[in-house]
Amino acid sequence: MKILIVYAHPEPRSLNGALKNFSVQRLEAAGHQVQVSDLYAMQWKPSVDAEDNLDHLPGARFEPSLSSKQAFENAKQSADIAGEQEKLRWADAVILQFPLWWFSMPAILKGWIDRVYAYGFAYGVGEHSDTHWGDRYGEGTLAGKRAMLVVTAGGWESHYGPRGVNGPIDDLLFPIQHGILFYPGFDVLPPFVVYRTSRMDEDRYATVCHRLGERLDTLFNTAPIAFRPQNAGAYDIPSLTLREQFAPGESGFKVHVARS
């Protein structure tokens, strides 16, 4: 199978760098093809601007969504954007690996999403009507592919528990897993999270690698998070509100995950 790792850490000798190298070696040893987009090494430009559209006229008003749509439709995107989209088309699975910085991903990775997820590629796709509100949340360009987060966090696991002061890790990662990965169609696997990264000795590192190796070995048969598809009947359209028979009386992120 073909796997893309989108990696965002500025120090190759970091824990993240070691885990990324471990993942590449483990996946290739299992016979998979692997590509790595090392965003810092690539000096990825994170900001969306008019130069992303090669046909943008100097001095013309810049409208980000419209410019993205026109550039994608006319094959006039900058080469770095088009190249990353081709990697996404190529991949059967995508791993986003990053340190949790201020409760989210590093800015360079968010900038990768902002620019690569072009209008017509990751959003603005499919029919919009009173019964079908676009191909998204379970449908879309990237449907049929798998995705997983590999995340490192400095806090203790309890800090990210159900009553932890930082908030539950599933809630913190919901905008990424549901909004960035499930939105364009990925089947999203449970995340692999490494906590208390400043307390990492050789024995604990070996344990982390063993656990990560098990997750990589089962990348294509682990059950994905059961996010509710948008257009399969759970949501009223066009209000896009979960119908009352699903998780009655509840609200919040958890209602968008189906329960067996």
Side-chain angles (χ1 to χ4, degrees), residues 89-237:
R89 292 188 186 95
W90 168 87
D92 299 303
V94 174
I95 295 171
L96 302 185
Q97 183 185 335
F98 57 92
L100 192 68
W101 286 353
W102 287 108
F103 302 91
S104 188
M105 58 176 63
I108 198 169
L109 179 54
K110 179 55 164 58
W112 184 88
I113 297 294
D114 289 346
R115 298 181 64 228
V116 175
Y117 273 32
Y119 190 116
F121 179 77
Y123 73 104
V125 176
E127 167 200 345
H128 277 71
S129 68
D130 289 341
T131 59
H132 188 100
W133 203 258
D135 293 345
R136 58 183 200 168
Y137 292 118
E139 301 174 295
T141 305
L142 303 175
K145 301 175 183 291
R146 306 198 126 209
M148 183 176 79
L149 302 183
V150 174
V151 181
T152 59
W156 298 15
E157 185 170 0
S158 61
H159 299 175
Y160 298 91
R163 292 171 61 84
V165 68
N166 290 338
I169 191 65
D170 288 341
D171 285 2
L172 295 181
L173 298 180
F174 183 89
I176 302 172
Q177 296 188 134
H178 185 264
I180 290 175
L181 296 177
F182 188 60
Y183 185 108
F186 281 114
D187 291 324
V188 186
L189 306 187
F192 182 84
V193 184
V194 182
Y195 299 97
R196 209 176 183 188
T197 53
S198 63
R199 296 291 187 270
M200 186 68 61
D201 56 24
E202 289 187 10
D203 289 343
R204 184 161 179 253
Y205 177 70
T207 299
V208 168
C209 286
H210 176 74
R211 290 175 45 234
L212 178 57
E214 290 181 329
R215 289 299 307 276
L216 296 172
D217 292 346
T218 58
L219 192 61
F220 291 98
N221 50 40
T222 296
I225 300 169
F227 290 129
R228 301 182 192 274
Q230 175 188 278
N231 293 311
Y235 296 90
D236 281 320
I237 296 176

Side-chain angles (χ1 to χ4, degrees), residues 7-75:
Y7 167 74
H9 196 286
E11 176 51 69
R13 297 164 295 182
S14 63
L15 172 63
N16 265 273
L19 293 176
K20 180 261 294 177
N21 293 339
F22 171 84
S23 294
V24 172
Q25 292 165 7
R26 183 77 168 225
L27 292 167
E28 290 182 340
H32 300 295
Q33 300 177 59
V34 182
Q35 291 193 65
V36 177
S37 288
D38 183 340
L39 300 184
Y40 284 96
M42 294 161 61
Q43 297 185 318
W44 178 264
K45 178 177 79 74
S47 57
V48 173
D49 58 33
E51 293 180 0
D52 291 342
N53 181 351
L54 301 181
D55 276 350
H56 183 79
L57 297 176
R61 183 174 183 270
F62 175 53
E63 299 181 42
S65 291
L66 178 59
S67 182
S68 176
K69 180 176 186 289
Q70 292 172 340
F72 180 76
E73 288 180 346
N74 299 325

